[in-house]
Amino acid sequence: MIQIMGIVNATPDSFSDGGEHDEPDAAIAHGRTLAACGATILDVGGESTRPGSVPVGIDEELRRALPVVEHLAADGSVVSIDTYRAATAARAIEAGARIVNDVSGGLADDDMMRVVADAGVEFLIGHWRGPSADMYAFAEYDDVGGEVACELSQRVDAAIAAGIDPSRIILDPGVGFAKAGPQNWSVLRELGAVTDLGFRVLVGTSRKGFLSSAVGDDASRDRRDLATAVTSVLAQRAGAWGVRVHDVTSTRDALAVTDAWDGA
């Protein structure tokens, strides 16, 4: 069964739902709602990584995210911490996080892989070429699918060298990160280049701007959620282990219909 990672943005400035759950109590309630809707993992973030976003200090990131991680983990949910800072990851693991989702794949903080290895938790390695503030400056590829897979393979080698158990590694092709619109579709079409590396693969397309080339720039959030649900089904077909989404219900339903179609 494909894993559905529900997004819990405890931030005021995330691109889609910034400010809706930016206080811990609201984020905790939202996480519980996502779990009730069928999310198998809750991904908690205290800093936006949207294009052009400005980093916040670690104290603010911890203030936003740590209580959310602690309460949702205490509920029994599998909690992921969305951070590229090793110190934040360490504190979140102490609070109950079982996955570290690092969009930089360990490139932003040299200490991240050691923290993950020492804790023995799962490590979600994102494809990354630079900070969110200027990520599109790095969106140049001759073979986007092949280059993403190659660069992820290099991060896998670094993770294993740092002592991370290969069975605990998950890969994310980084849809929307250092990739211009059409390049994201190419990454998805060529997802096999990443799944062929032999690790679990998570795909995150939720509400991202490149979907507008299919559904229109003026598409409502509901229509982007529908488009996201379709990509979730296609990602499953392409061998993805999990999908990361804002709206759990639409993706859950789309996957259930697919299973019914297949006779599962």
Side-chain angles (χ1 to χ4, degrees):
M1 175 181 173
I2 195 167
Q3 301 296 306
I4 302 178
M5 176 182 278
I7 299 169
V8 184
N9 285 324
T11 59
D13 58 342
S14 292
F15 79 94
S16 170
D17 58 356
E20 292 184 11
H21 319 109
D22 58 339
E23 289 302 320
D25 286 349
I28 292 164
H30 182 58
R32 287 171 173 161
T33 297
L34 294 179
C37 288
T40 53
I41 304 167
L42 299 175
D43 190 42
V44 178
E47 177 181 300
S48 174
T49 52
R50 63 178 173 79
S53 61
V54 177
V56 300
I58 187 170
D59 289 344
E60 179 62 13
E61 183 183 30
L62 288 169
R63 184 195 72 79
R64 295 174 180 177
L66 213 57
V68 185
V69 171
E70 185 173 17
H71 281 79
L72 295 178
D75 290 344
S77 292
V78 176
V79 177
S80 167
I81 179 65
D82 180 0
T83 185
Y84 56 82
R85 293 187 178 93
T88 299
R91 291 285 300 279
I93 292 166
E94 291 173 1
R98 293 160 56 183
I99 303 171
V100 174
N101 175 13
D102 182 354
V103 297
S104 82
L107 287 168
D109 189 330
D110 291 338
D111 206 30
M112 179 64 89
M113 290 186 178
R114 180 196 63 78
V115 166
V116 173
D118 288 350
V121 296
E122 310 276 301
F123 190 37
L124 177 50
I125 298 174
H127 177 261
W128 191 79
R129 283 187 167 183
S132 297
D134 58 355
M135 67 170 74
Y136 292 132
F138 307 102
E140 294 187 9
Y141 302 86
D142 293 321
D143 170 18
V144 61
E147 289 174 53
V148 167
C150 180
E151 290 165 28
L152 282 173
S153 181
Q154 292 169 358
R155 301 314 302 153
V156 167
D157 290 344
I160 293 172
I164 296 173
D165 187 326
S167 69
R168 296 189 176 275
I169 292 174
I170 308 163
L171 302 181
D172 179 349
V175 173
F177 288 86
K179 298 167 190 73
Q183 293 169 337
N184 294 293
W185 292 114
S186 295
V187 167
L188 294 173
R189 282 193 297 271
E190 299 166 28
L191 193 63
V194 179
T195 60
D196 284 350
L197 295 175
F199 298 89
R200 292 169 290 166
V201 174
L202 179 135
V203 173
T205 64
S206 191
R207 298 178 181 169
K208 290 185 176 178
F210 81 100
L211 295 171
S212 65
S213 66
V215 298
D217 290 325
D218 60 345
S220 66
R221 191 159 78 174
D222 285 347
R223 288 179 62 201
R224 286 203 181 191
D225 284 335
L226 176 59
T228 300
V230 174
T231 63
S232 295
V233 168
L234 295 173
Q236 180 187 47
R237 295 282 199 203
W241 163 86
V243 290
R244 181 178 182 273
V245 300
H246 293 87
D247 184 71
V248 168
T249 300
S250 58
T251 279
R252 180 204 64 200
D253 289 350
L255 292 167
V257 169
T258 304
D259 286 344
W261 181 285
D262 291 340

